[in-house]
C-alpha cells in the first residue's frame, strides 16, 4: 500500500510490479498511513487525511479511520476526526480471535483526537485517552 498525502492511495498485489488506485469508499483526498492485520492480510486499517485539519463548517469530515476487509479493494469510513495530518494506527497481534480469524484490538493515535481503541477489528472505536489535553497539561506544568 502506498499512501499519498493529497493524491489518494495505491495498492499492489504483485510485490510492487503493478500499482492501481484503490479509493472505492475512501472519501479523504489523501492517506497518511496503514496497518495490515498481522494474522489476516484481508483486513487493513487506513488513515484518511488531506494535509490540513478539517473545519466543521465544511460538513462531515472525511478524515479518520477506514476499514477494508478485502485487501484494500474497497473501504468503509469507520471513524471521522478533524485531524488531517499525521496519526498512527496499529493492530494488537496478541488480540487474535481464532473464531473470528482476525485481530480484534487496534489503536489509532492523533494529535487532536487523542488515542482511540477498537475491540472489534476496527469496525467501531472509542476514545481511551485525550493526548491533546495531556500535551496542554504538560506544557503548563514543566
Amino acid at each position: 500500500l502506498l499512501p499519498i498525502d493529497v493524491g489518494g492511495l495505491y495498492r499492489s498485489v504483485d510485490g510492487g510490479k503493478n500499482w492501481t488506485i484503490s479509493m472505492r469508499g475512501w472519501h479523504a483526498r489523501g492517506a497518511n498511513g496503514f496497518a495490515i492485520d498481522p494474522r489476516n492480510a484481508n483486513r487493513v486499517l487506513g488513515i484518511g487525511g488531506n494535509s490540513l485539519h478539517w473545519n466543521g463548517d465544511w460538513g462531515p469530515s472525511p478524515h479518520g479511520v477506514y476499514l477494508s476487509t478485502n485487501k484494500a479493494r474497497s473501504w468503509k469510513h469507520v471513524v471521522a476526526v478533524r485531524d488531517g495530518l499525521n496519526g498512527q494506527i496499529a493492530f494488537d497481534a496478541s488480540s487474535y480471535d481464532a473464531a473470528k480469524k482476525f485481530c480484534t484490538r487496534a489503536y489509532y493515535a492523533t494529535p487532536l483526537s487523542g488515542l482511540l481503541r477498537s475491540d472489534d477489528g476496527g469496525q467501531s472505536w472509542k476514545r481511551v485517552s485525550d493526548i491533546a489535553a495531556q500535551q496542554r497539561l504538560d506544557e503548563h506544568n514543566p
Side-chain angles (χ1 to χ4, degrees), residues 44-60:
V44 182
L45 294 170
I47 304 172
N50 66 358
S51 75
L52 70 138
H53 297 311
W54 193 258
N55 182 327
D57 294 338
W58 300 338

Side-chain angles (χ1 to χ4, degrees), residues 1-141:
L1 295 170
L2 173 65
I4 301 175
D5 66 346
V6 293
L9 61 108
Y10 293 80
R11 76 180 191 120
S12 173
V13 293
D14 61 6
K17 291 180 184 177
N18 296 290
W19 292 87
T20 57
I21 195 157
S22 180
M23 296 191 62
R24 185 171 158 212
W26 189 280
H27 305 293
R29 287 188 338 184
N32 297 328
F34 298 100
I36 298 171
D37 184 328
R39 303 289 301 271
N40 183 338
N42 286 315
R43 297 184 72 84
V44 182
L45 294 170
I47 304 172
N50 66 358
S51 75
L52 70 138
H53 297 311
W54 193 258
N55 182 327
D57 294 338
W58 300 338
S61 174
H63 297 172
V65 178
Y66 288 80
L67 170 66
S68 174
T69 57
N70 57 11
K71 290 189 177 180
R73 272 187 222 102
S74 63
W75 300 91
K76 178 182 179 187
H77 194 200
V78 291
V79 65
V81 298
R82 289 185 325 123
D83 303 68
L85 306 165
N86 306 320
Q88 297 292 320
I89 197 157
F91 280 98
D92 178 352
S94 70
S95 70
Y96 180 72
D97 183 318
K100 294 179 181 177
K101 298 186 170 122
F102 60 83
C103 293
T104 58
R105 181 160 293 152
Y107 293 94
Y108 172 46
T110 76
L112 297 178
S113 299
L115 178 65
L116 288 81
R117 183 180 78 211
S118 173
D119 292 315
D120 59 7
Q123 185 65 42
S124 63
W125 295 81
K126 63 182 174 182
R127 184 181 319 267
V128 294
S129 174
D130 184 350
I131 294 171
Q134 184 60 48
Q135 288 172 342
R136 288 189 298 274
L137 182 63
D138 291 345
E139 289 171 3
H140 289 83
N141 298 305

